[in-house]
Amino acid sequence: MKFLVRRILVALVLLCVCFTFCIYSVSANEYIKTEYDEYTDIFYNYYAGDKEISDFRYKTLYVHYGDESSDTPLYVLAFMSQTGLIPDRYLAVYGDYVLYNGGWLPYWLGLYVYTPGNGSVCKFSDAYLSVDGIDACFESLMENKFAYLIGDVNSDCVLNIKDATFMQKCFAGMEEFDLDHSLTGVWEDSAQQLSHISDFNRDGSCNVKDATAVQKYVSGMISSFPVESTPYYEFF
């Protein structure tokens, strides 16, 4: 009898493990699937080097042309990673945005930039400091669930008076922030980290001062965010 019970327990444990694996596998496939295009091989060769990667994940996120009449883009932004999920996000601040990788392996953002002009591929952290027009890609990053706009608490990818109003309601207990409001995960090692998307003035706390700062910004009373943003850097 004890032997039978033990076998049943083992079977149940294995069933739970398989079920969990299936959930993560489905989540991974739904989150991003490899989409082959004219840039895939370029990025793959940079990512894999001399190795062969069977679980390669890739997606072109944004192609930027400096001149509409040009056939050659100034840069191409892509996501590269390998199959697998980990239970936490990897976070980094770039300008007015929080970038994240959604819990993908390896444990970094996985964003890379190809510049056809010199034929080079580099990590986003390097491109952010050196590639012209790099700020134009953030809208696409938000649409593809790789970035949050700081202060955009209603998640419509736009900073406006609606965000200030929603903040005020949340701070007064009339509404609740969504789950993505809390920026939990592993951060780059830097002087600036944000605990919540509503921390618009970057003072380390979330309160009505942030709603007031948003109101002043969208009304033109201030022309930039109250605190200068410092980009995070990747060390991999």
Side-chain angles (χ1 to χ4, degrees), residues 26-234:
V26 170
S27 299
N29 291 332
E30 289 179 348
Y31 187 75
I32 188 167
K33 297 180 180 179
T34 296
E35 299 179 2
Y36 293 96
D37 57 29
E38 59 187 300
Y39 305 110
T40 306
D41 288 341
I42 296 172
F43 281 98
Y44 176 84
N45 291 334
Y46 172 86
Y47 186 88
D50 296 331
K51 301 177 182 178
E52 183 176 344
I53 300 176
S54 60
D55 57 347
F56 180 66
R57 295 274 174 156
Y58 171 87
K59 183 179 181 180
T60 297
L61 300 177
Y62 179 72
V63 180
H64 182 72
Y65 293 88
D67 185 350
E68 294 182 359
S69 63
S70 176
D71 295 329
T72 303
L74 289 180
Y75 68 84
V76 179
L77 172 67
F79 172 82
M80 293 189 288
S81 186
Q82 294 168 255
T83 303
L85 284 171
I86 46 182
D88 218 340
R89 293 178 294 184
Y90 188 84
L91 301 153
V93 173
Y94 287 90
D96 301 322
Y97 298 83
V98 175
L99 273 57
Y100 65 99
N101 72 344
W104 278 81
L105 291 171
Y107 218 168
W108 64 79
L109 287 176
L111 299 174
Y112 297 83
V113 174
Y114 165 58
T115 49
N118 56 20
S120 67
V121 178
C122 65
K123 290 184 173 66
F124 184 85
S125 55
D126 297 323
Y128 183 77
L129 300 173
S130 61
V131 175
D132 291 337
I134 195 66
D135 288 342
C137 73
F138 284 113
E139 182 176 348
S140 178
L141 285 174
M142 288 191 293
E143 292 174 354
N144 285 278
K145 310 300 183 184
F146 281 96
Y148 303 114
L149 173 60
I150 299 171
D152 176 28
V153 291
N154 64 357
S155 304
D156 64 356
C157 299
V158 179
L159 185 67
N160 53 34
I161 196 64
K162 293 180 181 179
D163 295 296
T165 301
F166 188 69
M167 280 187 193
Q168 291 173 330
K169 290 182 178 180
C170 289
F171 295 142
M174 299 169 61
E175 297 280 358
E176 291 185 359
F177 293 112
D178 62 25
L179 295 177
D180 287 337
H181 173 245
S182 179
L183 297 172
T184 58
V186 176
W187 287 87
E188 295 274 1
D189 183 16
S190 177
Q192 186 184 43
Q193 296 181 8
L194 297 179
S195 60
H196 297 86
I197 295 175
S198 64
D199 186 13
F200 183 77
N201 62 7
R202 279 80 147 180
D203 66 354
S205 60
C206 303
N207 50 44
V208 71
K209 293 180 180 179
D210 295 294
T212 301
V214 172
Q215 289 176 323
K216 290 181 178 180
Y217 179 80
V218 299
S219 65
M221 295 176 65
I222 55 176
S223 59
S224 62
F225 287 78
V227 177
E228 183 69 21
S229 298
T230 302
Y232 284 72
Y233 300 95
E234 298 178 275

